[in-house]
Amino acid sequence: MVGSKEKRDKRLQQVSLLRTIPYSDHQRWWTSETVAVVTGANRGIGFEMVKQLAGHGLTVILTSRDENVGVEAAKVLQEGGFNVDFHRLDILDTSSIQDFCQWIKEKYGFIDVLINNAGVNYNVGTHNSVEYSHMVISTNYNGTKNIIKAMIPLMRQASPGARIVNVTSRLGRLKGRHSKLENEAVRAKLMDVDSLTEEAIDETVSEFLKQVEEGTWESGGWPHSFTDYSVSKMAVNAYTRVLAKELSERPEGEKIYANCFCPGWVKTAMTGYAGNISAEDGADTGVWLALLPDQAITGKFFAERREISF
Ligand code: NDP
């Protein structure tokens, strides 16, 4: 245990060190006209990502499903001198997504960066209820896919390439230590990136939800902690790979790069503030990924600014 704590502290020190290295001019591909959107940004890691991206000089759209809370959150940053705009966005609501896209089209015309941060988890500590599985899968997986599909036509076609960053979790790893997937068939299917399809991922989550309804999920070989949440993040990880593969076929000048990252165990409402790092540190890898200077990197999974395995 001491060893792993030392390793973690060392990693965090390295992250802090990297943070102090400024983005030099040739790396700085963005300007104040570069537009980034962050979902679920009224609090927690999303709010921090908005703050850090705006701190780097981008125009950032803070979105929230609750209008009043979102306006207040944006106001805090605007009063601090950050270039932050607000619009309501509920990733579970088709009309809210349409409304948001229409507003982007009219006000900005395009976006450069989409950070899919909105998410839910109804378990804390050692609890593992699947009572809210439908909501967890719908929000974390289907909602994320829906907003990505709606925003892709609005992504700017320019040489640095547009960027999609999905906030996922190590709990969704296929060979994770913490919440192990024991279902070999599912693992093999999601691991085989060459033959993986969106339909195959949809089938996997549908099978999980069917087992929840039938009361058989406990013997299904699914991850054993935060099961519904882990399955949802596993699905987003897999979808990031499928998406990156599809997007890589776009011609030069129209590229969109898609990656995902785990923020770590973060002190936010989601963990009941029981994490071991701050929202500021949790946001770091997502912002770094969104701003990578030469982003031929796509379809990868990161944590603490390093690539990790799916
Ligand atoms: P929070 O609960 O603080 O933030 C979650 C955000 O998502 C809130 O703003 C919430 O809005 C929003 N949200 C939920 N449902 C929707 C929806 N349908 N449409 C739009 N927004 C929605 O948690 P975190 O900041 O910790 O989580 C941010 C992301 O990081 C999540 O994807 C989470 O899974 C991931 N993550 C977090 C970890 C952690 O340790 N905290 C670890 C690994 C991953 P509202 O305020 O209205 O509820």
Side-chain angles (χ1 to χ4, degrees):
M1 280 317 279
V2 172
S4 73
K5 187 182 177 303
E6 272 169 5
K7 234 165 101 184
R8 199 188 65 226
D9 289 348
K10 203 165 157 210
R11 264 208 318 263
L12 286 174
Q13 259 173 17
Q14 284 165 344
V15 169
S16 305
L17 229 141
L18 277 168
R19 268 230 224 100
T20 60
I21 300 172
Y23 291 86
S24 65
D25 283 345
H26 77 278
Q27 288 178 311
R28 199 184 156 103
W29 58 268
W30 64 93
T31 67
S32 58
E33 309 277 294
T34 304
V35 180
V37 169
V38 184
T39 68
N42 49 288
R43 67 181 191 197
I45 300 166
F47 178 82
E48 268 302 326
M49 284 194 283
V50 171
K51 189 175 169 188
Q52 291 178 27
L53 286 167
H56 282 296
L58 288 83
T59 298
V60 191
I61 321 296
L62 183 156
T63 70
S64 162
R65 59 178 162 175
D66 182 314
E67 176 108 30
N68 294 333
V69 171
V71 166
E72 278 308 305
K75 209 165 121 196
V76 170
L77 296 176
Q78 287 156 353
E79 285 174 359
F82 294 100
N83 189 9
V84 170
D85 202 349
F86 168 77
H87 199 274
R88 183 176 176 269
L89 174 63
D90 182 338
I91 62 162
L92 275 182
D93 178 353
T94 314
S95 67
S96 170
I97 293 179
Q98 279 169 356
D99 193 38
F100 179 65
C101 289
Q102 192 56 34
W103 177 80
I104 287 284
K105 226 185 272 176
E106 284 165 15
K107 187 156 180 186
Y108 293 96
F110 53 79
I111 68 159
D112 299 277
V113 174
L114 171 65
I115 302 202
N116 294 298
N117 166 78
V120 291
N121 172 31
Y122 292 89
N123 287 303
V124 277
T126 54
H127 284 242
N128 194 25
S129 158
V130 290
E131 191 183 345
Y132 299 104
S133 297
H134 270 101
M135 181 56 98
V136 172
I137 301 283
S138 300
T139 306
N140 298 0
Y141 176 56
N142 300 99
T144 297
K145 270 203 314 183
N146 290 345
I147 187 67
I148 289 173
K149 287 180 183 182
M151 297 305 298
I152 283 176
L154 292 176
M155 298 197 94
R156 195 207 305 248
Q157 297 179 0
S159 65
R163 290 111 197 267
I164 297 173
V165 177
N166 295 328
V167 188
T168 67
S169 169
R170 285 183 178 88
L171 290 175
R173 277 175 107 174
L174 296 170
K175 286 186 173 172
R177 263 183 311 142
H178 301 294
S179 194
K180 206 165 157 39
L181 174 71
E182 269 146 20
N183 186 322
E184 291 290 348
V186 169
R187 185 188 300 161
K189 183 161 74 170
L190 298 185
M191 196 72 113
D192 184 1
V193 69
D194 293 331
S195 62
L196 189 60
T197 60
E198 183 182 341
E199 292 69 33
I201 307 167
D202 288 351
E203 273 166 29
T204 304
V205 297
S206 299
E207 177 58 27
F208 168 67
L209 290 172
K210 184 167 149 261
Q211 291 181 19
V212 168
E213 258 162 49
E214 292 169 353
T216 57
W217 65 277
E218 276 172 291
S219 54
W222 304 103
H224 44 78
S225 65
F226 298 173
T227 303
D228 51 9
Y229 179 80
S230 298
V231 171
S232 75
K233 295 296 187 180
M234 194 177 282
V236 183
N237 279 347
Y239 180 65
T240 307
R241 303 179 93 180
V242 170
L243 179 69
K245 202 168 65 178
E246 275 173 23
L247 294 174
S248 68
E249 281 154 24
R250 289 166 74 101
E252 253 346 289
E254 294 179 24
K255 292 286 186 206
I256 302 175
Y257 305 108
N259 293 289
C260 50
F261 81 101
C262 174
W265 190 37
V266 190
K267 291 181 210 279
T268 63
M270 185 172 283
T271 55
Y273 300 93
N276 57 9
I277 60 168
S278 64
E280 188 189 350
D281 283 334
D284 176 73
T285 297
V287 171
W288 168 80
L289 204 42
L291 298 183
L292 278 180
D294 179 15
Q295 188 143 12
I297 296 167
T298 194
K300 307 282 188 211
F301 189 19
F302 292 85
E304 287 100 28
R305 295 194 181 191
R306 294 225 184 109
E307 189 182 343
I308 59 171
S309 68
F310 280 93

